[in-house]
Amino acid sequence: MTEFTEISQLQEPELVTRAKEGDARAFETLVSFYRPRLRNVLRKMIGHPHDCDDLYQETLIKASKGLHGFKGDSNFGTWLCAIGVNLGLDFLRKQKAWRARAQVIYGNICHDDPEWGGEVAAALSDDGFAFDVYEHIAYCWSCVARSLPAEQNAALVYREFLDMTNREAAKQMHLSESVFRHTLADARASMQARFDDLCSLVNKQGVCYQCAGLRNACAADKQGKAPPQPLQLEQRLEITSAAELDTGRSQSMHELFYKRTQQVESAEMGNANEASKCDGSKH
């Protein structure tokens, strides 16, 4: 049990002071309040649920040990999430980047392999599942971000999802502000180019086969809103920033997708140059 279900601006400094004095309950109250934000940020940066769980636990351990280093320059939640993003950056530096067309490769395997395709069908028919196209766009964002250099992924998270200034984000990444701006600009350009490639590859009309196909494969009462028209980078950013990937209605399906895509990328399965075998009528 936590002491407060919500934390006001007046309560937070008191809780931080108590936590620094060794009050474990105060620290747990702070963590409980900001837990959804931290987990959501990790999901958008890393994707794979098991990796996100591990990084979440590492973040809490590091925050507990480093609590006396919190100066109150931001709110506790931003400080906590920054620890998580830095750990995520270290994690990604040790991983091989995903291919830009990882989602298409995975979709093609599901199209050809009855077992993998059956997993998707089972996820769509689960009683607790409902398709949310905005969550799926956010999932797509996180997959494409995994194809970027780790520093570019982190720069986007700091700037776009934690709302830090260029100066604040550069400080977190131990970069000069000019280098950070360059990294962020490269990240934005890469994301735009890779989304353009995916959209042209899967549907010349600009509506991704996954959004349309997955939604159409669901029962009518689980389809949610129709896919939006072709999106620009800023619209994708806005949708992804607002989406709740860690607790959303489509979470179970996306967790399956992350796990399988990680498997595909680790083993370099499939052909990255192969066009999509799916269309708007099937996955």
Side-chain angles (χ1 to χ4, degrees):
M1 292 291 292
T2 57
E3 191 166 350
F4 305 105
T5 56
E6 295 185 1
I7 298 176
S8 71
Q9 290 183 338
L10 294 176
Q11 290 170 326
E12 181 167 303
E14 176 190 349
L15 287 168
V16 170
T17 297
R18 286 165 47 189
K20 286 183 175 181
E21 292 172 350
D23 187 335
R25 191 177 182 190
F27 180 74
E28 174 58 27
T29 298
L30 289 163
V31 168
S32 294
F33 183 69
Y34 288 112
R35 178 179 287 115
R37 184 183 182 193
L38 171 59
R39 293 189 65 91
N40 203 34
V41 166
L42 290 173
R43 184 59 62 89
K44 290 169 184 175
M45 183 180 188
I46 305 299
H48 193 288
H50 294 167
D51 294 334
C52 289
D53 288 345
D54 290 343
L55 286 166
Y56 172 76
Q57 294 300 329
E58 288 181 38
T59 300
L60 298 193
I61 292 170
K62 190 168 184 177
S64 178
K65 292 180 177 179
L67 188 58
H68 287 282
F70 175 52
K71 306 300 183 183
D73 297 333
S74 63
N75 66 38
F76 181 86
T78 299
W79 176 78
L80 183 68
C81 287
I83 293 174
V85 174
N86 277 339
L87 289 171
L89 176 57
D90 290 340
F91 171 83
L92 290 176
R93 282 170 172 158
K94 300 173 186 176
Q95 308 295 312
K96 183 173 66 176
W98 289 6
R99 289 167 290 184
R101 294 180 174 181
Q103 294 148 278
V104 171
I105 298 167
Y106 169 56
N108 285 344
I109 293 173
C110 290
H111 182 274
D112 293 338
D113 188 314
E115 179 183 351
W116 284 39
E119 289 178 339
V120 177
L124 295 177
S125 62
D126 185 82
D127 289 342
F129 171 81
F131 184 74
D132 187 312
V133 69
Y134 295 107
E135 288 176 24
H136 195 66
I137 290 168
Y139 154 80
C140 187
W141 175 281
S142 65
C143 285
V144 176
R146 283 295 303 264
S147 73
L148 301 180
E151 290 76 13
Q152 291 185 18
N153 190 336
L156 284 167
V157 173
Y158 272 125
R159 189 68 179 88
E160 308 298 349
F161 303 144
L162 291 184
D163 295 324
M164 288 188 174
T165 65
N166 287 343
R167 178 175 296 181
E168 291 168 338
K171 182 178 179 181
Q172 288 292 336
M173 294 182 66
H174 305 291
L175 300 174
S176 68
E177 191 171 345
S178 62
V179 170
F180 176 81
R181 287 198 302 269
H182 182 75
T183 302
L184 181 64
D186 284 349
R188 283 173 162 268
S190 294
M191 290 295 282
Q192 182 66 59
R194 293 177 193 200
F195 270 117
D196 286 346
D197 174 68
L198 287 172
C199 287
S200 65
L201 187 68
V202 300
N203 193 315
K204 293 185 183 300
Q205 284 69 50
V207 177
C208 175
Y209 76 89
Q210 278 200 355
C211 291
L214 290 170
R215 179 175 182 266
N216 291 340
C218 295
D221 61 342
K222 294 186 176 184
Q223 289 186 351
K225 296 180 180 179
Q229 293 302 307
L231 298 170
Q232 296 302 311
L233 186 66
E234 293 302 325
Q235 293 169 295
R236 289 190 175 99
L237 271 170
E238 183 178 352
I239 289 170
T240 303
S241 181
E244 297 292 337
L245 282 177
D246 193 60
T247 57
R249 299 188 301 169
S250 305
Q251 179 186 3
S252 58
M253 178 187 73
H254 290 138
E255 289 192 349
L256 168 65
F257 286 5
Y258 283 128
K259 292 174 183 177
R260 281 303 201 186
T261 304
Q262 178 68 70
Q263 182 179 346
V264 167
E265 292 304 290
S266 295
E268 295 188 353
M269 299 166 64
N271 181 359
N273 296 317
E274 187 177 26
S276 169
K277 298 178 181 179
C278 302
D279 57 30
S281 63
K282 60 184 178 181
H283 183 72

